[in-house]
Amino acid sequence: MPAHQSFRHEALLYHDHDEYLDTVVPFLREGVERGEHVLVAVVEPAGDEIRERLGDAAGEVAFVDMSDLAANPARIMPALTTLVESHHHDGRAMRVLGQPVWAGRRDVEIVESRLHEGLINLVIPPDAPLWLICPYDASTGDPEVAEHAAHSHPVMLEKGDYRGSTGYTGAWYVENMFRRALPPAPDDAEVRTFRRAEIGEVANRVLATAFRAGLSVERSHRLAAAMRELASDATVGDTAVLRVWTDADAVVCEIEDPLVAAPVVGRVPTTTRAARKGLWLANQTSDLIQVRSTEAGTTVRVHTWR
């Protein structure tokens, strides 16, 4: 099968900025020359540097600020699947440079980005003509960078060496993360068990906590609305548990219910309440959402940055 007629998901481990640009710019330029759809989803100033190096070819490339698109990594998947669906049948292959992790990302955001990277391999059709390269800065010396990239990317590119990933674990990587419980809520978290008739009280409690934590009126109401949606999802199975707390970074709210969910939950649009339509809606407006599901049920944790 020709190289660009199947899905390729590759990790680029770069050790300095020039190495990064010397690798990704030819990749993008070749896509333009072949008449492919080319998308660059990175954080600035990398986008401006790539535009400058591409020259006139930059006019044929779509650019997206990843700090907006991927602030909540759960929003990357629907954008990527929409791209594939819109171009899959027009006879043109696709090339994407997508940067899921960058300097300054919080640890919890990096964890969710890693889960997203694993899920891509399960969601994008194998016959989709998409070549996706994800750059990772290996100059930090952190062994987890290469380790997790290897688990979630079938192919690795480093210092000109192009090789299959011996660490690639496919669906196991996703299941291992998704079926593992989140770190427990702090002892001082507010805890409440609720039923469907009490969803309004859930939203009010969240709103009051957000106000006390100093969130703006707009962000407080947005969080309360998201939690209302999540509470509606959770009470399909009768009762659920709400936990709310604040830390140095965020107002954190979570809902736990006895229903087991699939790893892709909340990342693809759905019209059925049983499929957690509320989670899909909450993902579109929330700073960060974590979902984990074990035999005991599902926990959805919402972080709203202070």
Side-chain angles (χ1 to χ4, degrees):
M1 184 175 287
H4 304 302
Q5 298 307 310
S6 61
F7 178 43
R8 301 176 62 171
H9 187 204
E10 304 173 1
L12 166 64
L13 299 179
Y14 64 92
H15 297 263
D16 61 59
H17 200 57
D18 286 337
E19 179 187 343
Y20 165 72
L21 292 173
D22 289 344
T23 303
V24 304
V25 171
F27 165 73
L28 300 168
R29 188 185 303 279
E30 182 182 69
V32 172
E33 293 171 350
R34 288 175 176 245
E36 299 172 0
H37 299 286
V38 182
L39 171 66
V40 173
V42 298
V43 296
E44 297 300 347
D48 286 338
E49 293 169 337
I50 290 171
R51 287 187 187 90
E52 182 177 354
R53 288 219 184 181
L54 283 173
D56 293 341
E60 302 299 320
V61 177
F63 286 84
V64 174
D65 186 346
M66 202 62 155
S67 63
D68 290 333
L69 174 63
N72 177 3
R75 289 199 287 269
I76 307 174
M77 187 69 73
L80 197 56
T81 54
T82 297
L83 174 72
V84 171
E85 291 167 0
S86 63
H87 295 315
H88 196 171
H89 303 294
D90 70 356
R92 295 171 63 189
M94 296 162 278
R95 291 191 189 209
V96 176
L97 176 66
Q99 182 180 9
V101 177
W102 55 86
R105 293 224 87 174
R106 299 169 176 88
D107 289 346
V108 68
E109 294 173 311
I110 292 175
V111 169
E112 295 312 299
S113 295
R114 289 169 177 167
L115 177 59
H116 157 76
E117 286 281 69
L119 279 168
I120 287 178
N121 305 302
L122 310 183
V123 173
I124 302 298
D127 63 343
L130 170 64
W131 189 351
L132 171 61
I133 289 183
C134 306
Y136 289 87
D137 185 356
S139 67
T140 63
D142 182 353
E144 286 196 355
V145 173
E147 177 187 347
H148 283 277
H151 280 313
S152 58
H153 295 78
V155 176
M156 306 290 287
L157 177 59
E158 184 175 13
K159 294 183 176 179
D161 180 23
Y162 189 85
R163 65 187 188 277
S165 172
T166 58
Y168 179 64
T169 48
W172 178 90
Y173 181 68
V174 171
E175 288 289 328
N176 187 52
M177 294 184 68
F178 189 73
R179 302 302 177 192
R180 184 183 301 173
L182 291 167
D187 293 339
D188 61 353
E190 180 182 354
V191 183
R192 175 193 170 97
T193 299
F194 67 94
R195 297 178 180 274
R196 195 168 190 83
E198 300 168 301
I199 289 175
E201 177 60 23
V202 167
N204 289 337
R205 285 176 176 264
V206 169
L207 190 64
T209 301
F211 282 148
R212 287 197 303 269
L215 295 186
S216 69
V217 172
E218 178 184 357
R219 286 170 59 76
S220 296
H221 279 281
R222 191 166 63 196
L223 173 58
M227 296 307 296
R228 181 185 291 273
E229 292 288 347
L230 296 175
S232 182
D233 281 348
T235 48
V236 169
D238 194 16
T239 63
V241 177
L242 169 71
R243 299 182 183 91
V244 183
W245 68 94
T246 60
D247 59 29
D249 285 337
V251 175
V252 187
C253 308
E254 72 173 26
I255 290 180
E256 180 182 345
D257 67 63
L259 305 176
V260 178
V264 76
V265 66
R267 296 173 189 259
V268 292
T270 178
T271 57
T272 61
R273 179 59 65 181
R276 296 182 185 265
K277 179 182 177 183
L279 176 56
W280 162 263
L281 295 172
N283 261 326
Q284 308 316 303
T285 61
S286 299
D287 290 346
L288 181 73
I289 292 184
Q290 296 180 283
V291 184
R292 299 294 186 270
S293 192
T294 69
E295 293 181 354
T298 299
T299 299
V300 181
R301 182 173 292 180
V302 182
H303 302 256
T304 302
W305 310 125
R306 299 180 71 174

